[in-house]
Amino acid sequence: MTWIRKDRIWPTIITGILVGNLVLGVVLVRIAIGDDHFAVEPDYYRRAIGWDTVQAQARHNVALGWHLAATIEPISLTSPTALVLHLTDRDGVPLATEAATIEARPIAHASELVRGTAEPGIEPGMLRAVLPFHREGLWELRIAVTRGTERFTETLRLDLSRQHAALLVRDRPGDADPARTSLGTHPE
């Protein structure tokens, strides 16, 4: 066995392990990047730094007492579908608004982002947008409504289907159970 010298066995083993580790790392990164179900929150670092602003907006939303409801008829996978928003104050009186911006993404394919603007509809408090909801399933809608100098934000989760109108999803995995929290049986 003259093809491997004794003084080169350990350096060869160490070099082989290092090269194998590098190749494995490249393969795993390629697999992770190629997953279309994976998405990174856009500009998450800026949003993390501005967390106080997000919390201030949430407190402002509560102080305003506005309520936003969304209606989406059965979707078509080939053509855009109408999204109708209804904005009311705490007493249920419709609020006329200027516009709303919408970011929508399917939960299972979170890297696919749909953006649009809702314009005032026929009735007071109504906003309408036509967006390409091209997948059935759970969608998250991030909506920002402006009315004069006021800004109101809401995040809705809707279950979209070709057979029936969208259903609002209130319970999310990982959310605290209000019944258990109020009883003190499960500290969350």
Side-chain angles (χ1 to χ4, degrees):
M1 293 227 170
T2 59
W3 55 279
I4 298 180
R5 293 182 10 203
K6 288 186 178 185
D7 60 336
R8 291 190 182 171
I9 291 176
W10 285 110
T12 303
I13 291 173
I14 293 171
T15 303
I17 290 172
L18 291 174
V19 170
N21 190 22
L22 181 65
V23 169
L24 179 64
V26 169
V27 168
L28 292 176
V29 166
R30 298 277 301 186
I31 290 171
I33 291 173
D35 185 5
D36 66 342
H37 299 286
F38 176 78
V40 175
E41 182 73 29
D43 207 9
Y44 76 94
Y45 185 72
R46 183 186 56 78
R47 291 183 65 185
I49 290 175
W51 182 248
D52 293 337
T53 306
V54 172
Q55 292 304 305
Q57 179 64 50
R59 287 189 298 275
H60 183 68
N61 291 343
V62 171
L64 285 173
W66 295 357
H67 300 281
L68 186 69
T71 306
I72 302 175
E73 292 304 315
I75 64 170
S76 168
L77 301 181
T78 57
S79 62
T81 305
L83 164 66
V84 179
L85 302 171
H86 297 279
L87 184 67
T88 59
D89 66 8
R90 75 178 74 240
D91 298 323
V93 177
L95 296 172
T97 59
E98 299 162 6
T101 58
I102 302 162
E103 285 186 358
R105 68 180 70 226
I107 301 297
H109 299 271
S111 62
E112 300 173 12
L113 180 64
V114 175
R115 292 184 180 176
T117 302
E119 301 295 331
I122 300 168
E123 303 168 15
M126 175 194 263
L127 294 161
R128 188 172 187 281
V130 178
L131 299 172
F133 296 110
H134 55 278
R135 290 186 187 275
E136 291 184 287
L138 288 178
W139 281 70
E140 181 176 272
L141 280 68
R142 294 179 184 173
I143 304 165
V145 179
T146 55
R147 181 175 190 252
T149 60
E150 299 291 346
R151 183 171 188 270
F152 175 77
T153 60
E154 181 76 63
T155 301
L156 302 173
R157 282 211 177 172
L158 299 173
D159 186 3
L160 304 184
S161 171
R162 289 183 288 173
Q163 286 78 31
H164 56 78
L167 302 173
L168 180 63
V169 177
R170 295 191 189 279
D171 298 325
R172 300 179 190 182
D175 282 352
D177 182 1
R180 293 177 68 191
T181 303
S182 65
L183 294 174
T185 58
H186 194 270
E188 299 183 70

